[in-house]
Amino acid sequence: MIETEINHPTTEGIANLSLDSAGESSTADASTASRANSPVPNVDKVYPAIAVGIHSKDRDVRLKAVDDLRDYLGLEAHNESMNKVVQPIIMLNILPAIIEMLYSNDPEVVPKVTPILCNVAAGSSEQASAIVDAGVLPKLLELYYACSWEIKFDVLMVFGNVVSDSEGLRKIAIEQGACQAAIDVLRRPAEHEPRLPELAAWVVKSATTTENGGLTDDDLALELIDVLAAFIAKLISSDNNTDIFETLTDAAHAFYRLSVHRDVSEAIIKHGVVRGIVLLCKADDDTLREVGVRLVMHMSGKGEECVRELIEAECLDALYYCIERHPKTHALVCFAAANIANSSSLYVEALIDSSLFSSVSELASNDRWDEEDIGRVHAMKVILALARSASRYPELMDSLIVADYFGERSYALL
């Protein structure tokens, strides 16, 4: 889970707070200490005072208590686990009062309380459940559409922490708008503050799983597939490769997860992102590279048009790069190669003439690689697929002979 830095707006440090038993506030001289170098107050003293202030009838006292709770969370989260810091908010009945403030018409209130909910959602499953059980997610979605980018950030943070907590909470959050808020950002990333697209990509990655693409709602899944394809295309064409790396990784990962049970190839072609997906296969990052290879593998099994798009995007060269440098991708590369080997004669011949075919042949015959490499099994399937294609397309025979298909490496078929 992700904890939020509670710093949008600046408030007085908790070192300057004291609350009497009646819930009235008194503020010490600010010159005596600063937030930066003041010791963190004792939890047994701070939270009861905050609880009294939160429930005060005096508006200023309530807001002061909220400010100091935010400050305390920001200070103490660096020293303790978020679970421990958040638990008194649950135990002392502070959370219901915080949630009630979300419905306030006072413009100062909501920006003060949403960061607190971010940190509660980042706590334990029990703590995140307290937010969900309070029925606050629909209200947060409403605030997302109505308020500033800072509140949008906090709402996405809450949704992201909830969907990444557990399967049960993930389903509830998706049903109550987690993906819709993220889709709104990803659909028009340039219209949002730069940090929001990165956060939205994390939310959808957390919301998706390889089981049913993480989404049982087909309409929502199809909408997200289209939005993600367009978003990934924009990221890949960006000049800020360093700044968008994590965002691209999360978006591509979510996109791959959606592809497990749904066809995403049409969206890839529609948004002109085929070459970008192929380029991911050469990424330095292991996760991003694997996602790229998996998406190429997915597309290669979706018909002639997809194979043609991949060949034109130089996927054979990208797959050759993977098989030569990254043994962990061997099985995935061979899956894709076998799909191409089962396509039309034009693309089969392109495979035979490529450096990829030579590497697959070596893998199948164990000329270079570990005998226990699972990729060997799938490399043999490529060789067998080529044999079937040669029986369908006799004109491929000359290319196979030139490529030494019938030489010593072909003993993999025996």
Side-chain angles (χ1 to χ4, degrees), residues 3-299:
E3 301 163 9
T4 185
E5 290 289 334
I6 305 183
N7 58 7
H8 13 278
T10 301
T11 59
E12 289 183 295
I14 192 158
N16 299 325
L17 169 73
S18 64
L19 288 170
D20 62 28
S21 60
E24 299 302 323
S25 64
S26 62
T27 304
D29 185 353
S31 64
T32 60
S34 68
R35 173 177 174 175
N37 55 24
S38 296
V40 176
N42 185 285
V43 64
D44 294 333
K45 296 180 180 179
V46 171
Y47 275 113
I50 288 175
V52 172
I54 287 284
H55 291 94
S56 171
K57 295 181 179 180
D58 186 312
R59 172 187 178 276
D60 292 338
V61 172
R62 289 197 304 274
L63 294 185
K64 187 68 170 64
V66 171
D67 284 342
D68 286 295
L69 177 57
R70 293 169 60 214
D71 284 347
Y72 185 72
L73 288 171
L75 288 168
E76 188 68 0
H78 295 291
N79 304 315
E80 302 283 354
S81 72
M82 186 53 64
N83 298 3
K84 182 176 179 180
V85 176
V86 166
Q87 189 58 24
I89 297 176
I90 309 295
M91 298 299 295
L92 295 178
N93 208 33
I94 294 172
L95 183 61
I98 293 294
I99 291 174
E100 183 179 351
M101 291 182 185
L102 286 178
Y103 297 84
S104 171
N105 293 324
D106 188 332
E108 291 187 43
V109 172
V110 173
K112 293 177 180 290
V113 299
T114 51
I116 296 172
L117 295 179
C118 293
N119 284 293
V120 176
S124 67
S125 292
E126 179 184 359
Q127 291 160 357
S129 294
I131 288 180
V132 175
D133 292 344
V136 76
L137 297 187
K139 179 60 179 179
L140 287 174
L141 184 63
E142 177 186 327
L143 291 172
Y144 167 85
Y145 287 110
C147 297
S148 66
W149 78 262
E150 290 93 344
I151 291 178
K152 292 181 189 294
F153 184 95
D154 292 339
V155 170
L156 287 170
M157 186 74 77
V158 171
F159 276 132
N161 280 324
V162 171
V163 297
S164 62
D165 183 275
S166 66
E167 178 67 11
L169 292 183
R170 184 181 66 81
K171 289 181 177 179
I172 294 173
I174 290 171
E175 291 171 356
Q176 297 186 0
C179 288
Q180 292 300 342
I183 285 172
D184 178 71
V185 175
L186 299 178
R187 192 185 299 281
R188 296 178 296 275
E191 297 179 13
H192 294 276
E193 200 276 338
R195 282 182 286 178
L196 293 183
E198 178 181 353
L199 188 56
W202 168 68
V203 172
V204 296
K205 186 199 75 170
S206 301
T208 54
T209 67
T210 52
E211 180 184 351
N212 198 31
L215 299 172
T216 55
D217 184 334
D218 285 334
D219 290 338
L220 176 60
L222 292 174
E223 181 182 13
L224 187 53
I225 286 169
D226 190 69
V227 169
L228 277 174
F231 180 66
I232 291 169
K234 293 173 184 175
L235 290 177
I236 290 176
S237 64
S238 170
D239 295 329
N240 300 321
N241 292 332
T242 302
D243 294 340
I244 57 91
F245 171 74
E246 289 188 9
T247 306
L248 177 59
T249 301
D250 285 345
H253 217 116
F255 195 67
Y256 157 66
R257 288 173 174 176
L258 289 164
S259 77
V260 172
H261 294 280
R262 296 175 175 90
D263 185 2
V264 302
S265 58
E266 182 178 343
I268 292 175
I269 294 172
K270 172 185 173 183
H271 293 286
V273 74
V274 179
R275 188 169 295 275
I277 294 297
V278 169
L279 286 175
L280 295 184
C281 298
K282 293 187 176 182
D284 292 332
D285 179 75
D286 291 344
T287 300
L288 196 54
R289 183 174 55 252
E290 180 182 338
V291 167
V293 177
R294 286 185 179 277
L295 288 172
V296 168
M297 180 186 73
H298 171 86
M299 279 196 71

